[in-house]
Amino acid sequence: MSLKLYLKDTFNKELPADPILENSRRQVRNACFSYVAPKKPSNPALIHCSPEMIEAIGLQESPKSKAFLDIFSGNEILTNTKPFAMCYGGHQFGHWAGQLGDGRAINLAEVEHDGQHWALQLKGAGETPYSRSADGLAVLRSSIREYLCSEAMFHLGVPTTRAVSLLLSGDQVLRDVMYDGNSAYEKGAIVCRAAPSFIRFGNFEILAAQEDTSTLKALVDYTIKYYYPHLRKPSKNTYLKFFKEVAVRSMEMVIHWQRVGFVHGVMNTDNMSILGLTIDYGPYGWLEDYDSGWTPNTTDSTNKRYRYGTQPEIVLWNLLQLANALFPLIEEAEPLQNILKEYQEEVQVAYLQMMKSKLGLFENDKNDASLIAELDKTLQLSETDMTIFFRRLVNFKSDSNPDDLAFISEAFYKSEEIEKDIKAKWINWFSKYADRLQLESKNDSERKVLMNKVNPKYVLRNYMAQLAIDKADEGDYKLLEELFQLLKKPYAEQPEYEKWFAKRPDWARHKVGCSMLSCSS
Ligand code: AMP
Ligand code: MG
């Protein structure tokens, strides 16, 4: 089956392949991937596709064509391509988990268009040698979440993998959503996602764990050649520069997450992209009421390892695992440790800069860090909607009266709580903010323009995705389309969509899929 795409496979052409061709579960050694064909879906149907991504990958055919349906559902294999699953390991919840790998992602091909390189991957297209005890499939619920969120993140300006298409497979998939013995059949779905590369920290870790230094070197050299080419020829020094750039990119990614209130939920090292992209949208969630201790992932509810407030630290922990994996090629701990130390310093600076931009503060003042720390505390005294709070903050002018909280009251979930102590603390904070604004050279309207570029009006609130899922389950995709369109312009006012600029409704407070998410997908 052919499609008009400019193919440029590199990963499976330049890196060592697993010689075994049968689709059996196994431990793979001395290889970066295993060849595997997608499962034929019983009755595939296109639900949605991203017109921007169809264009970006240079596809000439209509996504409504039979050829598109066949290739993007895994029903047929694109001529001159050899689909494969990647081998990787990872640290999950702080522990080495051994070989993981693409258990249900199958890489179709790499394509080039307009000077951009894209790896195309089907998620939910069947078993691979890395499927372990699972079925290689994905359900509609989690596929909608990945599909909508990856495009929404892109439009928010957050580095991310992208989504090309969302299809029904026509197969039924058995899942126990809350792991409580209540399994049920759900609609199977397949997302085609795209990124320059899907290589993760875990791809390097597995090779280091296997003490396979030559394949490790091949993978690092490959990654630098295609994705960090400005670092030039392989050498110890180049590897250190590579590690530094991965650290910086990962830091930028996590600071964006903190800015928009995104909580990944499963920051295991197998879910850390070597390109600093947000990858693997599973039990992620968006902060509704600002709470640094919140995690959407019920599997993590005891330790809350991956809660919002610790995400930048977890990136550091994950970078340490990557440093360990790269060590055999560098053989010196100190320069790697120095890069980790720099991360610790730079992430503080980056966080401060980011938070200042949310507050519209562009000059420097020695008290900025404490002003922000105090805001972080005050926001958590009662439930306060993060998105609404920051979006409405522009209405506080340099000559506003700090005693008058009316302009921000819609951000409070229980405004009756904003009295006495809590009110006094807010007034106190706004007084300091008012004083601080006096140091700014930008006027109120200039500040407003800049603040509205970093404080989104619309994010994919957890309950919004759930509403689209409920409708899609009934075969109605209008809401999915509406959210897809809305989230293309998260910083624009879009008055026609004002209803999505609202606090989480009460019914969603403790609902599965809205505030509680599991890894079941
Ligand atoms: P995740 O927590 O989704 O990042 O997945 C962790 C590992 O489990 C990865 O190796 C996945 O490919 C694998 N995995 C997750 N779900 C499935 C599934 N339904 N079938 C096969 N492998 C899976
Ligand atoms: Mg994963």
Side-chain angles (χ1 to χ4, degrees):
M1 176 71 56
S2 72
L3 273 176
K4 289 188 201 102
L5 284 168
Y6 184 76
L7 297 174
K8 191 157 187 298
D9 284 343
T10 59
F11 192 91
N12 60 356
K13 287 203 166 143
E14 296 184 27
L15 290 166
D18 171 10
I20 303 174
L21 295 179
E22 73 184 39
N23 192 355
S24 60
R25 286 143 209 230
R26 57 185 177 265
Q27 291 294 308
V28 172
R29 295 195 69 91
N30 306 117
C32 291
F33 65 93
S34 306
Y35 289 112
V36 63
K39 175 182 189 259
K40 284 196 180 287
S42 62
N43 188 20
L46 177 68
I47 294 180
H48 208 271
C49 65
S50 163
E52 295 82 22
M53 283 311 295
I54 296 285
E55 199 183 312
I57 63 172
L59 187 82
Q60 309 286 308
E61 286 85 350
S62 157
K64 300 218 165 88
S65 65
K66 170 94 170 58
F68 182 89
L69 185 70
D70 278 341
I71 301 294
F72 285 82
S73 68
N75 197 37
E76 298 275 352
I77 291 174
L78 202 53
T79 313
N80 294 328
T81 65
K82 289 178 86 178
F84 64 92
M86 286 186 187
C87 180
Y88 55 80
H91 279 83
Q92 298 191 317
F93 298 97
H95 304 280
W96 175 243
Q99 178 183 296
L100 298 164
D102 289 330
R104 54 165 167 182
I106 297 185
N107 298 272
L108 293 184
E110 293 167 55
V111 300
E112 237 166 48
H113 182 66
D114 256 355
Q116 283 204 311
H117 190 90
W118 297 101
L120 302 177
Q121 191 177 78
L122 297 185
K123 185 165 173 182
E127 291 170 39
T128 77
Y130 308 97
S131 296
R132 297 180 291 153
S133 59
D135 56 11
L137 304 175
V139 293
L140 181 58
R141 160 174 62 80
S142 63
S143 304
I144 288 179
R145 286 171 49 83
E146 169 133 19
Y147 180 79
L148 277 179
C149 200
S150 42
E151 289 305 278
M153 290 282 268
F154 170 75
H155 293 295
L156 281 163
V158 184
T160 179
T161 62
R162 304 289 304 272
V164 179
S165 58
L166 168 68
L167 288 91
L168 281 174
S169 64
D171 296 306
Q172 294 289 305
V173 176
L174 194 61
R175 287 288 183 270
D176 181 356
V177 180
M178 292 322 288
Y179 302 122
D180 57 4
N182 290 312
S183 297
Y185 280 101
E186 298 184 47
K187 289 181 182 178
I190 301 162
V191 169
C192 175
R193 53 185 189 177
S197 167
F198 288 98
I199 299 174
R200 302 141 190 269
F201 289 11
N203 294 68
F204 303 93
E205 287 180 274
I206 189 73
L207 298 169
Q210 295 169 343
E211 297 180 13
D212 180 358
T213 310
S214 81
T215 312
L216 175 67
K217 182 174 185 325
L219 182 64
V220 173
D221 291 350
Y222 165 88
T223 308
I224 292 171
K225 174 178 168 191
Y226 286 105
Y227 303 103
Y228 294 87
H230 52 283
L231 300 181
R232 311 259 177 106
K233 295 234 174 320
S235 71
K236 286 191 184 184
N237 199 26
T238 300
Y239 298 148
L240 282 171
K241 286 191 193 150
F242 165 62
F243 180 60
K244 173 72 188 177
E245 289 206 16
V246 176
V248 170
R249 286 201 198 186
S250 306
M251 177 181 81
E252 287 168 354
M253 170 190 79
V254 77
I255 292 298
H256 277 293
W257 292 358
Q258 304 309 91
R259 173 175 66 83
V260 297
F262 175 80
V263 189
H264 184 285
V266 216
M267 293 176 70
N268 294 332
T269 55
D270 51 304
N271 291 336
M272 290 290 295
S273 148
I274 202 68
L275 303 183
L277 306 172
T278 313
I279 189 170
D280 277 9
Y281 291 87
Y284 69 82
W286 292 83
L287 283 190
E288 282 163 327
D289 57 296
Y290 183 88
D291 175 359
S292 59
W294 186 67
T295 174
N297 184 357
T298 49
T299 317
D300 192 23
S301 61
T302 316
N303 296 321
K304 296 196 184 349
R305 178 181 173 85
Y306 298 142
R307 61 190 184 272
Y308 171 72
T310 56
Q311 293 189 122
E313 265 174 65
I314 293 293
V315 167
L316 174 67
W317 194 91
N318 290 343
L319 285 165
L320 171 61
Q321 308 317 313
L322 180 64
N324 282 333
L326 298 178
F327 179 78
L329 305 183
I330 296 164
E331 293 176 309
E332 259 185 281
E334 207 186 323
L336 288 165
Q337 278 162 353
N338 288 341
I339 293 169
L340 293 171
K341 267 198 212 115
E342 284 162 21
Y343 174 92
Q344 281 169 284
E345 288 153 16
E346 288 166 14
V347 79
Q348 308 277 348
V349 176
Y351 178 77
L352 182 64
Q353 280 307 112
M354 178 279 287
M355 287 302 291
K356 281 179 63 183
S357 73
K358 285 180 83 67
L359 297 180
L361 303 178
F362 302 97
E363 311 296 333
N364 290 320
D365 181 64
K366 64 177 182 355
N367 295 323
D368 284 343
S370 67
L371 183 74
I372 284 160
E374 198 177 320
L375 174 63
D376 177 80
K377 273 202 198 127
T378 313
L379 279 168
Q380 299 184 69
L381 293 175
S382 74
E383 282 186 325
T384 309
D385 193 273
M386 178 180 181
T387 305
I388 298 178
F389 178 86
F390 283 102
R391 188 72 183 190
R392 286 293 184 240
L393 195 58
V394 288
N395 295 335
F396 189 83
K397 304 283 190 305
S398 42
D399 59 355
S400 287
N401 173 7
D403 289 4
D404 183 2
L405 300 178
F407 77 100
I408 211 83
S409 62
E410 67 178 303
F412 299 130
Y413 278 78
K414 293 184 194 127
S415 49
E416 69 277 9
E417 287 180 355
I418 312 301
E419 52 175 42
K420 296 186 192 143
D421 278 8
I422 297 182
K423 187 164 186 200
K425 287 196 170 123
W426 272 121
I427 292 172
N428 186 299
W429 188 82
F430 275 111
S431 311
K432 290 183 186 168
Y433 182 51
D435 289 346
R436 176 63 184 78
L437 287 178
Q438 303 305 319
L439 304 179
E440 289 297 309
S441 50
K442 293 190 176 27
N443 65 33
D444 288 336
S445 60
E446 288 166 337
R447 196 169 59 248
K448 178 170 181 164
V449 171
L450 294 169
M451 285 171 79
N452 281 348
K453 285 185 183 165
V454 292
N455 294 319
K457 181 166 181 189
Y458 302 103
V459 296
L460 183 60
R461 290 169 182 271
N462 312 308
Y463 81 92
M464 291 161 66
Q466 189 58 40
L467 288 174
I469 289 166
D470 291 342
K471 284 285 177 200
D473 251 333
E474 297 163 10
D476 176 352
Y477 306 120
K478 285 197 291 292
L479 187 51
L480 175 71
E481 164 67 8
E482 179 173 329
L483 297 184
F484 188 87
Q485 295 303 337
L486 163 76
L487 296 167
K488 274 188 197 178
K489 292 189 218 137
Y491 301 100
E493 285 301 326
Q494 303 193 74
E496 68 279 25
Y497 289 129
E498 197 72 22
K499 69 172 173 187
W500 299 119
F501 181 67
K503 286 171 290 215
R504 169 199 60 221
D506 221 40
W507 61 261
R509 179 178 290 267
H510 300 296
K511 193 175 173 342
V512 174
C514 297
S515 61
M516 286 190 287
L517 287 137
S518 75
C519 290
S520 157
S521 56

